[in-house]
Amino acid sequence: MTGGTMKVGAVVLTMGNRPEELRALLDSVAKQDGDPIEVVVVGNGSPLPALPESVRTIELPENVGIPAGRNVGIEAFGPGGRDVDVLLFLDDDGLLPGTDTAELCREAFAADPELGIISFRIADPDTGVTQRRHVPRLRAADPMRSSRVTTFLGGANAVRTEVFEQVGGLPDDFFYAHEETDLAWRALDAGWMIDYRSDMVLHHPTTAPSRHAVYHRMVARNRVWLARRNLPALLVPVYLGVWLLLTLARRPSKTALRAWLGGFREGWKTPCGPRRPMKWRTVWRLTRLGRPPVI
């Protein structure tokens, strides 16, 4: 399939509290070169503002979390999103500054049959700066360097829908945090590759990562679930031991550490969903890509 014949859709998840930013994002999607992009906006437990007639809308009665909300958007394009070839996932307060992003995605997927996911570069609209945490690799000093990676950014990416059909969607129960890595590991285990592309840009205001107790609890709980679901048994204690030490080394506040440890315990005591440990050859692939699954 050539890039020009690939159908592209977009999923935007919103809490309904950024109507002006959402409209600006939708305008930037509508201006993309090539065939029009069909857009689904999912209201996650909130009513949606007035939107262009061309945009499909879904209003969920309650906030089901980020991964479950995005899964609803995927299924709006048929089982596993199969009515289109590629799905863009875009934060509702982001914006595509270039008109060629969709075409670049089509070309990239058409040129590389093994490519399953593309992670965009997030840049501040005023300064152009890309935060280090938004570069999905350990060697993140140069955000302008594109490369193969082992995970991706949840609100600035494109996924070939064959990936969803083969390995399933995002893990609903995660609610927030690490759901992208869970999907990335399953995709890599199935033979797909992931690219970070610095030339595919989403403008997004610079923000600090949240520091409230719920954030720390979910980050820790989901880290344990991620390992229990996906890693070979031998690597589970290594991976989680490393992250425990890293967390302690960062000297979080007492409140944050208490929440993190509570989430860590919760991750062990609660069901994590189906366990499908990755193959050892996938462990080696992750290692060769610069991020062995112990960190």
Side-chain angles (χ1 to χ4, degrees):
M1 181 180 293
T2 63
T5 61
M6 284 191 168
K7 293 182 179 180
V8 178
V11 174
V12 180
L13 187 66
T14 183
M15 297 288 291
N17 55 350
R18 294 188 279 236
E20 293 183 6
E21 293 91 338
L22 175 58
R23 291 189 188 97
L25 169 66
L26 296 177
D27 285 345
S28 73
V29 174
K31 292 176 183 176
Q32 291 297 300
D33 300 334
D35 292 338
I37 297 172
E38 184 178 350
V39 181
V40 170
V41 175
V42 180
N44 204 1
S46 63
L48 293 172
L51 297 174
E53 291 184 2
S54 60
V55 174
R56 297 167 59 190
T57 60
I58 300 172
E59 292 186 355
L60 302 177
E62 62 180 352
N63 181 357
V64 297
I66 293 174
R70 287 187 175 138
N71 283 339
V72 169
I74 294 169
E75 294 302 307
F77 290 94
R82 66 185 181 192
D83 292 346
V84 293
D85 303 299
V86 174
L87 277 175
L88 309 180
F89 295 87
L90 306 170
D91 276 349
D92 66 342
D93 57 344
L95 185 142
L96 297 173
T99 62
D100 62 346
T101 304
E103 284 289 80
L104 288 173
C105 287
R106 291 185 180 100
E107 292 169 3
F109 285 121
D112 186 353
E114 292 185 344
L115 180 61
I117 302 171
I118 299 173
S119 190
F120 300 166
R121 179 168 63 89
I122 293 180
D124 184 273
D126 297 322
T127 65
V129 171
T130 296
Q131 293 180 274
R132 187 182 182 93
R133 68 189 181 92
H134 284 153
V135 182
R137 60 179 178 238
L138 289 178
R139 296 178 180 176
D142 182 8
M144 300 307 294
R145 179 174 67 87
S146 299
S147 68
R148 295 284 201 199
V149 289
T150 61
T151 189
F152 63 99
L153 304 175
N157 68 80
V159 182
R160 194 192 297 264
T161 53
E162 286 181 52
V163 173
F164 297 126
E165 292 184 46
Q166 185 172 0
V167 306
L170 296 157
D172 285 353
D173 291 341
F174 277 42
F175 198 86
Y176 166 77
H178 303 317
E179 67 270 11
E180 301 92 354
T181 301
D182 186 88
L183 176 62
W185 283 1
R186 286 181 282 128
L188 288 162
D189 197 48
W192 297 101
M193 299 301 290
I194 305 170
D195 278 357
Y196 166 73
R197 288 282 296 264
S198 64
D199 57 335
M200 301 182 190
V201 181
L202 181 84
H203 275 175
H204 190 283
T206 297
T207 57
S210 180
R211 288 290 178 261
H212 50 75
V214 172
Y215 166 86
H216 291 287
R217 180 178 68 83
M218 288 193 174
V219 163
R221 182 199 67 182
N222 292 359
R223 181 79 69 184
V224 177
W225 282 358
L226 178 69
R228 289 175 58 199
R229 286 163 58 93
N230 295 288
L231 291 181
L234 286 174
L235 292 185
V236 172
V238 179
Y239 176 82
L240 295 176
V242 167
W243 276 103
L244 176 60
L245 293 174
L246 283 173
T247 300
L248 294 174
R250 290 168 178 167
R251 298 183 179 181
S253 67
K254 289 184 178 180
T255 300
L257 182 59
R258 190 179 303 113
W260 195 94
L261 292 173
F264 194 80
R265 287 191 295 270
E266 183 182 349
W268 284 108
K269 293 180 178 180
T270 54
C272 63
R275 174 167 164 76
R276 299 187 182 95
M278 65 177 65
K279 309 174 189 71
W280 281 103
R281 69 185 181 193
T282 305
V283 173
W284 176 236
R285 173 187 277 193
L286 289 163
T287 303
R288 286 189 291 110
L289 288 171
R291 189 148 198 168
V294 293
I295 188 170

